[in-house]
Amino acid sequence: MNDDLNAETPVVSGSRQRGPGMRVLVMTAVSAERDAVLRGLRGASNFDVLVAGVGTAAAAVSTAKVLATAEYDLVVTAGIGGGFIGKAEVGSLVVADEIVAADLGAQTPEGFRNLDELGFGSTRVRVDAGLVIRVAEALRGAGLAVTTGPVLTVSTVTGTAATAAELAARVPGAAAEAMEGFGVATAAHDRGVPILEIRAISNPVGPRDRAAWRINEALDALEAASSVLLEVLI
Ligand SMILES: O=C(O)c1cccc(C(=O)CC[C@H]2O[C@@H](n3cnc4c(=O)[nH]cnc43)[C@H](O)[C@@H]2O)c1
């Protein structure tokens, strides 16, 4: 296992394919997200889109299983997510420039300490900056609202303003939260495959109001993003 998650992963160039032969694995948490991605991809044969399950453990195991049996040039973790207020509005898209396991650590009398600070590993996976810029610009060019910034992976959906504020302070610039990114990214990093995370915002991060989640709006944005991905990655 490659235990340095911040070590350079290959960018989408060099020995990895870029162009018509590029193979892309897209992992979603649930089938509604997979179906939205598939609609956007319009049958593109160089993309495989699979359901990983909800949460980081399911995401990591599912991704690792696929990567053990097939070669890919890029792994994308995609789905709906919560947007931090003032950073990412409902219906917009977030492209992660960093994937952060935001609640992996320990509470101490001095406050939260992450795994890096505790000396047990890393809670961050970097995303190739050139790829982030290329994808974000293409999405904007298609008229979609896009933010780039850290996307947090959490085990518990944030349900209070206090937790939202704590996470935003813990990870400056945090744009979105979801539950799978770090698991998919860890599996991809272990195989040396570049990673991308795209979240379509269904709800604000903050006080729980499940009835107000705009899932269909987010799935439409995810479909639109996937159709742009098709253009930018081939
Ligand atoms: O009920 C539905 O129709 C439906 C359709 C697509 C997805 C869902 C989910 O509930 C997927 C769970 C998924 O959502 C992500 N998510 C969304 N908002 C947040 C959030 O504020 N904080 C953390 N995670 C969020 C998460 O990645 C879950 O996997 C339902």
Side-chain angles (χ1 to χ4, degrees):
M1 168 100 177
N2 185 345
D3 61 359
D4 180 1
L5 295 177
N6 282 320
E8 287 302 311
T9 48
V11 294
V12 190
S13 62
S15 62
R16 293 193 175 274
Q17 282 280 350
R18 182 168 154 191
M22 182 178 183
R23 293 216 54 82
V24 182
L25 173 65
V26 183
M27 301 300 286
T28 68
V30 298
S31 57
E33 295 168 326
R34 176 201 57 202
D35 294 347
V37 172
L38 285 172
R39 283 193 298 276
L41 292 176
R42 303 189 298 273
S45 61
N46 58 317
F47 284 74
D48 290 330
V49 188
L50 300 174
V51 174
V54 172
T56 196
V61 168
S62 304
T63 307
K65 274 190 193 165
V66 181
L67 293 180
T69 60
E71 292 276 326
Y72 290 94
D73 303 298
L74 177 69
V75 175
V76 182
T77 169
I80 66 171
F84 280 88
I85 291 169
K87 290 281 180 191
E89 302 302 314
V90 169
S92 72
L93 295 160
V94 174
V95 179
D97 61 12
E98 202 175 15
I99 299 169
V100 183
D103 54 14
L104 193 53
Q107 285 186 315
T108 78
E110 293 76 38
F112 177 83
R113 296 288 175 265
N114 64 29
L115 279 200
D116 313 62
E117 293 165 321
L118 296 168
F120 291 129
S122 183
T123 53
R124 290 169 186 254
V125 179
R126 275 202 230 124
V127 183
D128 178 67
L131 181 61
V132 173
I133 291 167
R134 200 149 53 87
V135 170
E137 282 179 355
L139 293 169
R140 287 190 191 108
L144 301 168
V146 184
T147 306
T148 61
V151 173
L152 313 192
T153 304
V154 292
S155 302
T156 304
V157 174
T158 296
T160 67
T163 303
E166 190 182 333
L167 289 172
R170 194 178 288 172
V171 184
E177 71 166 38
M179 303 177 81
E180 295 79 27
F182 188 73
V184 175
T186 300
H189 189 277
D190 185 51
R191 306 293 294 199
V193 184
I195 182 77
L196 189 65
E197 178 163 13
I198 299 179
R199 291 288 159 185
I201 303 304
S202 53
N203 57 282
V205 176
R208 180 167 176 79
D209 183 5
R210 186 65 170 77
W213 283 30
R214 298 281 174 266
I215 290 176
N216 288 340
E217 201 180 321
L219 292 174
D220 286 348
L222 187 61
E223 177 182 339
S226 303
S227 122
V228 173
L229 217 49
L230 177 63
E231 312 294 332
V232 80
L233 294 179
I234 58 172

